[in-house]
Amino acid sequence: MTTTFEGLSFQLSEEHLAVQQATRDFAQTELWAGVIERDEKEFFPDELVQKMANMGLMGMMVSPQYGGGGMDTVSYVLAMEELSKVDASASVMVSVNNSLVCYGLEAFGTEEQKQKYLTRLATGQTIGAFALSEPEAGSDATSQHTTAIDMGDYYLLNGTKNWITNGGRAGIYLVIAQTHPEKGHKGINCLIVEKGMEGFQVGKKENKLGIRGSDTHSLMFTDVKVPKENRIGPDGFGFKFAMSTLNGGRIGIASQALGIASGAYELSLKYAKERKTFGKPIAEHQAIQFKLADMATQIEAARLLCFKAALDKDNHHDYVKSAAMAKLFASQVAMDTAIEAVQIHGGYGYVKEFHVERMMRDAKITQIYEGTSEIQKIVIAREILR
């Protein structure tokens, strides 16, 4: 497959195809079995996380010197799509660990921080979480109520975070907090917090509409002493760190949305060829053909936007706009495709054993986390009007 973007010719390499096939095989053989039960019971077994780590999925883009795979963002997009075709709960764990935690540490952390934390995250010895959202600071990330008071050689961390993916499973947390309120967004810092630090408590697990296999928790910090050496970047760098990290995270969620859409479409295509009404497969009815045509076209467009964002990142171009566009469009495609998949399946689409109802529930979150669709439009507008 060859595609050209603004004079750039892109072709999937043998390595890309190998990553895609290996992840597809894993998803179909390891993740498919039990995905309905995991959704119903809201759990994801440690052994599956370890298998993903053994495949190198938890630190795909991290340099090999820190235990990562050293892969490019295109490989990451391909892997995320294949995982998400089967289980979006698995893919969001991979996305957060790669895009938000490992990337942030490798790009902005000190060598000591990388040696101490990044190697453990990239190899899957522990899982990471990114703690930005608060009860009153979701889309408005500048309004941090969690505070990190400078006490000389340590910070005193107090506050609450919510909607934290991997919140209960993680061992390492990147926590965004306000140190200098008078400086606004320039007074925010990012601190590395380890599970087990005195005063740090993991709150209740959220009972969610979708991605139910992934654990989402609130986090509470009460006078947690965080060593000064656990701050990422210079004093006041936290907001810039968060925004930079989220740009890459949007590529991951766009790829997740793409995978959900692809999975729903493939199930719908198979079902339409097998299900018969009025003496012929429903795929022979024009009404169904038009739905499938729309789904296939939208998915292909979303895939190209994901590749464009990945290529921009890999080629060190500004990818703020392309990542936002990919997430905005792919998340809408995921929602639209999943809804149509349920419609094509008819009554069977409304029951769990046919999977598409779960995909419809999973699709919705892609329009919300790592920046809502409305935030993506603001980002895109700012970029095109600059």
Coordinates of all heavy atoms in Angstrom, one line a residue, residues 23-24 26-45 48-49 52 57 79-95 169 208 210-215 252-253 255-264 266-267 355-356 358-363 365-366 369:
T23 N 0.2 -8.6 16.0 CA -0.8 -8.1 16.9 C -2.1 -8.6 16.6 O -3.0 -8.9 17.4 CB -0.8 -6.5 16.9 OG1 0.5 -6.0 16.9 CG2 -1.6 -5.9 18.0
R24 N -2.4 -8.7 15.3 CA -3.7 -9.3 14.8 C -3.8 -10.7 15.4 O -4.9 -11.1 15.9 CB -3.8 -9.3 13.3 CG -5.1 -9.9 12.8 CD -5.1 -9.8 11.2 NE -5.0 -8.4 10.8 CZ -4.6 -8.0 9.6 NH1 -4.1 -9.0 8.7 NH2 -4.6 -6.8 9.2
F26 N -2.4 -12.1 17.9 CA -2.5 -12.1 19.4 C -4.0 -11.7 19.7 O -4.6 -12.3 20.6 CB -1.6 -11.1 20.0 CG -1.8 -10.8 21.4 CD1 -1.5 -11.7 22.4 CD2 -2.4 -9.6 21.8 CE1 -1.7 -11.5 23.8 CE2 -2.7 -9.4 23.2 CZ -2.3 -10.3 24.1
A27 N -4.5 -10.7 19.1 CA -5.8 -10.2 19.4 C -6.9 -11.3 19.1 O -7.8 -11.5 19.9 CB -6.1 -8.9 18.6
Q28 N -6.7 -11.9 18.0 CA -7.7 -12.9 17.6 C -7.7 -14.2 18.4 O -8.7 -14.8 18.6 CB -7.6 -13.2 16.1 CG -7.8 -12.1 15.2 CD -9.3 -11.6 15.2 OE1 -10.2 -12.3 15.4 NE2 -9.5 -10.3 14.9
T29 N -6.4 -14.6 18.8 CA -6.3 -15.8 19.5 C -6.3 -15.7 21.1 O -6.9 -16.6 21.8 CB -5.0 -16.5 19.1 OG1 -3.9 -15.7 19.4 CG2 -5.0 -16.9 17.7
E30 N -5.8 -14.6 21.6 CA -5.7 -14.4 23.0 C -6.8 -13.5 23.6 O -7.3 -13.7 24.6 CB -4.3 -13.8 23.4 CG -3.1 -14.7 23.0 CD -2.9 -15.9 23.9 OE1 -3.6 -15.9 25.0 OE2 -2.1 -16.7 23.6
L31 N -7.1 -12.4 22.9 CA -8.0 -11.4 23.4 C -9.5 -11.8 23.1 O -10.4 -11.5 23.9 CB -7.7 -10.0 22.8 CG -6.5 -9.3 23.3 CD1 -6.4 -7.9 22.7 CD2 -6.4 -9.2 24.8
W32 N -9.7 -12.4 21.9 CA -11.1 -12.6 21.5 C -11.8 -13.5 22.6 O -13.0 -13.3 23.0 CB -11.2 -13.3 20.1 CG -12.5 -13.4 19.6 CD1 -13.3 -14.6 19.6 CD2 -13.4 -12.4 19.0 NE1 -14.5 -14.3 19.0 CE2 -14.6 -13.0 18.7 CE3 -13.2 -11.0 18.8 CZ2 -15.6 -12.3 18.1 CZ3 -14.2 -10.3 18.2 CH2 -15.4 -10.9 17.9
A33 N -11.2 -14.6 23.0 CA -11.8 -15.5 23.9 C -11.9 -14.8 25.3 O -10.9 -14.3 25.8 CB -10.9 -16.7 24.1
G34 N -13.1 -14.7 25.8 CA -13.3 -14.1 27.1 C -13.5 -12.6 27.1 O -13.7 -12.0 28.2
V35 N -13.6 -12.0 25.9 CA -13.8 -10.5 25.9 C -15.1 -10.1 26.4 O -15.3 -9.1 27.1 CB -13.5 -10.0 24.4 CG1 -14.6 -10.5 23.4 CG2 -13.6 -8.4 24.5
I36 N -16.2 -10.9 26.2 CA -17.5 -10.6 26.7 C -17.5 -10.7 28.2 O -18.1 -9.8 28.9 CB -18.6 -11.5 26.0 CG1 -18.7 -11.2 24.5 CG2 -19.9 -11.3 26.7 CD1 -19.6 -12.1 23.8
E37 N -16.9 -11.8 28.7 CA -16.9 -12.0 30.2 C -16.1 -10.8 30.8 O -16.5 -10.3 31.9 CB -16.2 -13.3 30.5 CG -16.2 -13.6 32.0 CD -15.4 -14.8 32.3 OE1 -14.7 -15.4 31.4 OE2 -15.5 -15.3 33.5
R38 N -15.0 -10.4 30.2 CA -14.2 -9.3 30.8 C -15.0 -8.0 30.9 O -14.9 -7.3 31.8 CB -12.9 -9.1 30.0 CG -11.9 -10.3 30.1 CD -10.5 -9.9 29.6 NE -10.5 -9.5 28.2 CZ -10.3 -10.3 27.2 NH1 -10.2 -11.6 27.4 NH2 -10.2 -9.9 26.0
D39 N -15.8 -7.8 29.8 CA -16.6 -6.6 29.8 C -17.7 -6.7 30.8 O -17.9 -5.7 31.6 CB -17.3 -6.5 28.4 CG -18.3 -5.4 28.3 OD1 -17.9 -4.2 28.2 OD2 -19.5 -5.7 28.3
E40 N -18.3 -7.8 31.0 CA -19.4 -8.0 32.0 C -18.9 -7.9 33.4 O -19.5 -7.2 34.2 CB -20.1 -9.3 31.8 CG -21.0 -9.4 30.5 CD -21.6 -10.8 30.4 OE1 -21.1 -11.7 31.0 OE2 -22.7 -10.9 29.7
K41 N -17.8 -8.5 33.7 CA -17.2 -8.5 35.0 C -16.3 -7.4 35.4 O -15.7 -7.4 36.5 CB -16.6 -9.9 35.3 CG -17.6 -11.1 35.2 CD -17.0 -12.4 35.5 CE -18.0 -13.5 35.5 NZ -17.4 -14.8 35.8
E42 N -16.0 -6.6 34.4 CA -15.1 -5.4 34.6 C -13.7 -5.8 35.1 O -13.3 -5.3 36.1 CB -15.8 -4.4 35.6 CG -17.1 -3.9 35.1 CD -17.7 -2.9 36.2 OE1 -17.3 -1.7 36.1 OE2 -18.4 -3.4 37.1
F43 N -13.1 -6.7 34.4 CA -11.7 -7.0 34.8 C -10.9 -7.3 33.6 O -11.4 -7.5 32.5 CB -11.7 -8.2 35.7 CG -11.8 -9.6 35.0 CD1 -10.7 -10.4 34.8 CD2 -13.1 -10.0 34.4 CE1 -10.8 -11.6 34.2 CE2 -13.2 -11.2 33.8 CZ -12.1 -12.0 33.6
F44 N -9.5 -7.3 33.8 CA -8.6 -7.6 32.7 C -7.5 -8.4 33.4 O -6.8 -7.8 34.3 CB -8.1 -6.4 32.0 CG -7.4 -6.7 30.7 CD1 -8.2 -6.7 29.5 CD2 -6.1 -7.0 30.6 CE1 -7.6 -7.0 28.3 CE2 -5.5 -7.3 29.4 CZ -6.3 -7.3 28.2
P45 N -7.3 -9.7 33.1 CA -6.3 -10.5 33.9 C -4.9 -10.1 33.7 O -4.4 -9.6 32.6 CB -6.5 -11.9 33.3 CG -7.2 -11.7 31.9 CD -8.0 -10.4 32.0
L48 N -2.8 -11.5 30.8 CA -2.9 -10.9 29.4 C -2.1 -9.7 29.3 O -1.5 -9.4 28.3 CB -4.4 -10.6 29.1 CG -5.2 -11.8 28.6 CD1 -6.7 -11.3 28.3 CD2 -4.6 -12.5 27.4
V49 N -2.0 -8.9 30.4 CA -1.2 -7.7 30.4 C 0.3 -8.1 30.2 O 1.0 -7.5 29.4 CB -1.3 -6.9 31.7 CG1 -0.4 -5.7 31.7 CG2 -2.8 -6.4 31.9
M52 N 1.0 -9.0 26.6 CA 1.2 -7.8 25.8 C 2.5 -7.2 26.1 O 3.2 -6.8 25.1 CB 0.1 -6.8 26.1 CG -1.3 -7.3 25.6 SD -2.6 -5.9 25.6 CE -2.7 -5.6 27.4
L57 N 4.4 -4.6 23.4 CA 3.4 -3.7 23.2 C 3.3 -2.5 24.2 O 2.7 -1.5 23.9 CB 2.0 -4.4 23.1 CG 1.8 -5.3 21.9 CD1 0.5 -6.1 22.1 CD2 1.8 -4.6 20.6
A79 N -0.7 -1.5 15.4 CA -1.0 -2.4 16.6 C -2.2 -2.0 17.3 O -3.1 -2.8 17.7 CB 0.2 -2.3 17.5
M80 N -2.4 -0.7 17.5 CA -3.6 -0.2 18.2 C -4.9 -0.5 17.5 O -5.9 -0.9 18.1 CB -3.5 1.3 18.4 CG -2.6 1.8 19.6 SD -3.3 1.4 21.2 CE -4.8 2.4 21.2
E81 N -4.9 -0.4 16.2 CA -6.1 -0.8 15.4 C -6.4 -2.3 15.6 O -7.6 -2.6 15.8 CB -5.9 -0.5 13.9 CG -7.1 -0.9 13.1 CD -7.0 -0.6 11.6 OE1 -5.9 -0.2 11.2 OE2 -8.0 -1.0 10.9
E82 N -5.4 -3.1 15.5 CA -5.7 -4.6 15.6 C -6.2 -5.0 17.0 O -7.1 -5.8 17.2 CB -4.4 -5.4 15.3 CG -4.0 -5.2 13.8 CD -5.1 -5.7 12.8 OE1 -5.8 -6.6 13.2 OE2 -5.2 -5.1 11.8
L83 N -5.6 -4.4 18.1 CA -6.1 -4.6 19.4 C -7.5 -4.2 19.6 O -8.3 -4.9 20.2 CB -5.2 -3.9 20.4 CG -3.7 -4.4 20.6 CD1 -3.0 -3.5 21.5 CD2 -3.7 -5.9 21.2
S84 N -7.8 -3.0 19.1 CA -9.1 -2.4 19.3 C -10.2 -3.0 18.5 O -11.4 -2.9 18.8 CB -9.0 -0.9 18.9 OG -8.0 -0.2 19.6
K85 N -9.9 -3.7 17.4 CA -10.9 -4.5 16.7 C -11.5 -5.5 17.6 O -12.7 -5.9 17.4 CB -10.2 -5.2 15.5 CG -9.9 -4.4 14.3 CD -9.3 -5.3 13.2 CE -8.9 -4.5 12.0 NZ -8.3 -5.4 11.0
V86 N -10.8 -6.0 18.6 CA -11.3 -7.0 19.4 C -11.6 -6.5 20.8 O -12.7 -6.8 21.4 CB -10.2 -8.2 19.5 CG1 -10.6 -9.2 20.5 CG2 -10.0 -8.8 18.2
D87 N -10.7 -5.8 21.4 CA -10.9 -5.4 22.8 C -10.3 -4.0 23.1 O -9.1 -3.8 23.3 CB -10.3 -6.4 23.8 CG -10.7 -6.1 25.2 OD1 -11.3 -5.1 25.5 OD2 -10.4 -7.0 26.1
A88 N -11.2 -3.0 23.1 CA -10.7 -1.6 23.3 C -10.2 -1.4 24.7 O -9.4 -0.5 25.0 CB -11.9 -0.6 23.0
S89 N -10.6 -2.2 25.7 CA -10.1 -2.1 27.0 C -8.6 -2.5 27.0 O -7.8 -1.9 27.8 CB -10.8 -3.1 28.0 OG -12.2 -2.7 28.1
A90 N -8.2 -3.5 26.2 CA -6.8 -3.8 26.1 C -6.0 -2.7 25.5 O -4.9 -2.3 25.9 CB -6.6 -5.1 25.3
S91 N -6.6 -2.1 24.4 CA -5.8 -1.1 23.7 C -5.6 0.2 24.5 O -4.6 0.9 24.3 CB -6.5 -0.8 22.3 OG -7.8 -0.2 22.5
V92 N -6.6 0.6 25.3 CA -6.4 1.8 26.1 C -5.3 1.7 27.1 O -4.6 2.6 27.4 CB -7.8 2.3 26.7 CG1 -8.1 1.4 27.9 CG2 -7.7 3.7 27.1
M93 N -5.1 0.5 27.6 CA -4.0 0.3 28.6 C -2.7 0.5 27.8 O -1.8 1.1 28.3 CB -4.1 -1.1 29.2 CG -5.1 -1.3 30.3 SD -4.9 -2.9 31.1 CE -5.9 -3.9 30.0
V94 N -2.6 -0.1 26.6 CA -1.4 0.1 25.8 C -1.2 1.5 25.4 O -0.1 2.1 25.4 CB -1.5 -0.8 24.5 CG1 -0.4 -0.5 23.5 CG2 -1.5 -2.3 24.9
S95 N -2.3 2.2 25.1 CA -2.2 3.6 24.6 C -1.7 4.5 25.8 O -0.8 5.3 25.6 CB -3.6 4.1 24.2 OG -3.6 5.5 23.8
R169 N -4.4 -0.4 38.6 CA -3.3 -1.3 38.2 C -1.9 -0.7 38.2 O -0.9 -1.4 38.3 CB -3.7 -1.8 36.8 CG -2.8 -2.9 36.3 CD -3.2 -3.3 34.8 NE -4.5 -3.8 34.7 CZ -4.8 -5.1 34.9 NH1 -3.8 -6.0 35.1 NH2 -6.0 -5.5 34.8
K208 N -18.5 1.8 34.4 CA -18.6 2.6 33.1 C -19.5 1.9 32.1 O -19.8 0.8 32.1 CB -17.2 2.7 32.5 CG -16.1 3.3 33.5 CD -14.8 3.6 32.8 CE -14.2 2.4 32.1 NZ -13.6 1.4 33.0
G210 N -18.7 1.8 28.8 CA -17.8 1.0 27.9 C -16.4 0.9 28.4 O -16.1 1.2 29.6
I211 N -15.5 0.3 27.6 CA -14.2 -0.1 28.0 C -14.1 -0.6 29.5 O -13.3 -0.2 30.3 CB -13.1 1.0 27.8 CG1 -13.5 2.3 28.4 CG2 -12.9 1.2 26.3 CD1 -12.3 3.3 28.5
R212 N -15.1 -1.5 29.8 CA -15.3 -1.9 31.1 C -14.2 -2.8 31.7 O -14.0 -3.0 32.9 CB -16.6 -2.6 31.3 CG -17.8 -1.6 31.1 CD -19.1 -2.4 30.9 NE -19.5 -3.2 32.0 CZ -20.0 -2.9 33.2 NH1 -20.3 -1.6 33.4 NH2 -20.3 -3.8 34.1
G213 N -13.4 -3.4 30.8 CA -12.3 -4.3 31.2 C -11.1 -3.4 31.7 O -10.3 -3.9 32.4
S214 N -11.1 -2.2 31.3 CA -10.0 -1.3 31.7 C -10.4 -0.6 33.1 O -11.6 -0.1 33.2 CB -9.8 -0.2 30.7 OG -9.1 0.9 31.2
D215 N -9.5 -0.6 34.0 CA -9.9 0.0 35.3 C -9.7 1.5 35.3 O -8.7 2.0 34.9 CB -9.1 -0.7 36.5 CG -7.6 -0.4 36.4 OD1 -7.0 -0.7 35.4 OD2 -7.1 0.2 37.4
G252 N -3.0 7.8 19.6 CA -3.4 6.5 20.1 C -4.9 6.3 20.2 O -5.4 5.3 19.8
I253 N -5.6 7.3 20.6 CA -7.1 7.2 20.8 C -7.7 7.2 19.4 O -8.7 6.5 19.2 CB -7.6 8.3 21.7 CG1 -7.0 8.2 23.1 CG2 -9.2 8.2 21.7 CD1 -7.1 6.8 23.7
S255 N -6.4 5.9 16.8 CA -6.2 4.6 16.3 C -7.1 3.6 17.0 O -7.5 2.6 16.4 CB -4.7 4.2 16.6 OG -3.8 5.1 16.0
Q256 N -7.4 3.8 18.3 CA -8.3 3.0 19.0 C -9.7 3.1 18.3 O -10.4 2.1 18.1 CB -8.4 3.4 20.5 CG -9.4 2.5 21.3 CD -9.6 3.1 22.6 OE1 -9.8 4.3 22.8 NE2 -9.6 2.2 23.6
A257 N -10.1 4.3 18.1 CA -11.4 4.5 17.4 C -11.5 3.9 16.1 O -12.5 3.2 15.7 CB -11.7 6.0 17.3
L258 N -10.4 4.0 15.3 CA -10.3 3.3 14.0 C -10.5 1.8 14.2 O -11.2 1.2 13.4 CB -8.9 3.6 13.4 CG -8.5 2.8 12.2 CD1 -9.5 3.1 11.0 CD2 -7.1 3.1 11.8
G259 N -9.8 1.2 15.2 CA -10.0 -0.2 15.4 C -11.4 -0.7 15.8 O -11.9 -1.7 15.3
I260 N -12.0 0.1 16.6 CA -13.4 -0.2 17.0 C -14.3 -0.2 15.8 O -15.1 -1.1 15.5 CB -13.9 0.8 18.1 CG1 -13.2 0.6 19.4 CG2 -15.4 0.6 18.3 CD1 -13.4 1.7 20.4
A261 N -14.1 0.8 14.9 CA -14.9 0.9 13.7 C -14.6 -0.2 12.8 O -15.5 -0.9 12.2 CB -14.6 2.3 13.0
S262 N -13.3 -0.6 12.6 CA -12.9 -1.7 11.7 C -13.5 -3.0 12.2 O -14.0 -3.8 11.4 CB -11.4 -1.8 11.7 OG -10.8 -0.7 11.1
G263 N -13.4 -3.2 13.5 CA -14.0 -4.5 14.1 C -15.5 -4.6 13.9 O -16.0 -5.6 13.5
A264 N -16.2 -3.5 14.1 CA -17.7 -3.5 13.9 C -18.0 -3.7 12.5 O -19.0 -4.4 12.1 CB -18.2 -2.2 14.4
E266 N -16.2 -5.2 10.1 CA -15.9 -6.6 9.7 C -16.9 -7.6 10.2 O -17.3 -8.5 9.4 CB -14.5 -7.0 10.2 CG -13.3 -6.3 9.5 CD -12.0 -6.6 10.0 OE1 -11.8 -7.5 10.9 OE2 -11.0 -6.0 9.5
L267 N -17.4 -7.4 11.4 CA -18.5 -8.3 11.9 C -19.7 -8.1 11.1 O -20.5 -9.0 10.8 CB -18.7 -8.0 13.4 CG -17.6 -8.5 14.3 CD1 -18.0 -8.0 15.7 CD2 -17.5 -10.0 14.3
H355 N -21.3 -9.1 19.9 CA -20.2 -8.2 20.1 C -20.5 -6.7 19.7 O -19.8 -5.8 20.3 CB -19.0 -8.6 19.3 CG -18.4 -9.9 19.8 ND1 -17.6 -10.0 21.0 CD2 -18.6 -11.2 19.4 CE1 -17.3 -11.3 21.2 NE2 -17.9 -12.0 20.2
V356 N -21.3 -6.4 18.7 CA -21.4 -5.0 18.2 C -22.0 -4.1 19.3 O -21.7 -2.9 19.2 CB -22.1 -5.0 16.9 CG1 -21.2 -5.6 15.8 CG2 -23.5 -5.6 16.9
R358 N -21.3 -4.1 22.4 CA -20.1 -3.7 23.2 C -19.3 -2.7 22.5 O -18.8 -1.7 23.1 CB -19.3 -4.9 23.6 CG -18.0 -4.6 24.2 CD -17.2 -5.9 24.6 NE -17.2 -6.9 23.6 CZ -16.3 -6.9 22.6 NH1 -15.4 -5.9 22.5 NH2 -16.3 -7.8 21.7
M359 N -19.1 -2.9 21.2 CA -18.3 -1.9 20.4 C -19.0 -0.6 20.3 O -18.3 0.5 20.3 CB -18.1 -2.5 19.0 CG -17.2 -3.7 19.0 SD -17.1 -4.5 17.3 CE -15.8 -5.7 17.7
M360 N -20.3 -0.5 20.3 CA -21.0 0.7 20.3 C -20.8 1.4 21.6 O -20.6 2.7 21.7 CB -22.5 0.5 20.1 CG -23.4 1.8 20.0 SD -25.1 1.5 19.5 CE -25.7 0.7 21.1
R361 N -20.8 0.7 22.7 CA -20.6 1.3 24.0 C -19.1 1.8 24.2 O -18.8 2.8 24.7 CB -20.9 0.3 25.2 CG -22.4 0.0 25.3 CD -22.7 -0.8 26.5 NE -22.4 -2.3 26.3 CZ -21.4 -2.9 26.8 NH1 -20.5 -2.2 27.6 NH2 -21.2 -4.2 26.6
D362 N -18.2 1.0 23.6 CA -16.8 1.3 23.7 C -16.5 2.6 22.9 O -15.6 3.4 23.2 CB -15.9 0.2 23.2 CG -15.8 -1.0 24.2 OD1 -16.3 -0.8 25.4 OD2 -15.3 -2.1 23.8
A363 N -17.2 2.7 21.7 CA -16.9 3.8 20.8 C -17.1 5.2 21.4 O -16.4 6.1 21.1 CB -17.8 3.7 19.6
I365 N -16.6 6.6 24.3 CA -15.5 7.3 25.1 C -14.4 7.9 24.2 O -13.8 8.9 24.6 CB -14.9 6.2 26.1 CG1 -14.0 7.0 27.1 CG2 -14.1 5.2 25.3 CD1 -14.7 8.0 27.9
T366 N -14.3 7.4 23.0 CA -13.2 8.0 22.1 C -13.6 9.4 21.7 O -12.7 10.2 21.3 CB -13.0 7.1 20.8 OG1 -14.2 7.2 20.0 CG2 -12.7 5.7 21.2
Y369 N -12.5 11.1 26.0 CA -11.2 11.2 26.7 C -10.1 11.7 25.8 O -10.2 11.7 24.6 CB -10.8 10.0 27.5 CG -10.7 8.7 26.8 CD1 -10.6 8.5 25.5 CD2 -10.6 7.5 27.6 CE1 -10.5 7.2 24.9 CE2 -10.5 6.3 27.1 CZ -10.4 6.1 25.7 OH -10.3 4.9 25.2

